[in-house]
Amino acid sequence: MAAIAAGEGLSLRAYLVRLADTLLTPRERDEQAEQVCVALHQWTGYAPSPVEQQRLDEDLDRRLARAVGR
């Protein structure tokens, strides 16, 4: 990461501060996910139940783990 920072003319600390500024807080991620669910429902009429959402999340986690070779 230090090499990336140096390549951009930044100290490692400045690079990490800039990187942190681009990340969403857990609350912001939750709000964004809710907005996506509302938009999906408005656009398609699809509104997964909490149980279905959990199953879909678990399926996505399994697929991502397989894709990165875990």
Side-chain angles (χ1 to χ4, degrees):
M1 201 173 293
I4 295 170
E8 295 189 24
L10 298 170
S11 68
L12 182 55
R13 180 184 174 136
Y15 180 77
L16 291 173
V17 167
R18 189 177 76 180
L19 181 62
D21 286 342
T22 67
L23 300 176
L24 298 176
T25 66
R27 182 178 178 160
E28 290 169 329
R29 283 193 304 274
D30 289 344
E31 290 170 355
Q32 193 174 66
E34 181 61 30
Q35 291 171 355
V36 168
C37 287
V38 168
L40 178 64
H41 180 66
Q42 289 174 344
W43 186 44
T44 66
Y46 177 67
S49 69
V51 171
E52 186 177 14
Q53 183 66 47
Q54 180 66 34
R55 184 183 57 76
L56 292 167
D57 287 346
E58 290 168 358
D59 184 50
L60 180 58
D61 289 343
R62 276 192 302 276
R63 290 172 185 246
L64 288 171
R66 207 174 321 134
V68 297
R70 289 189 198 163

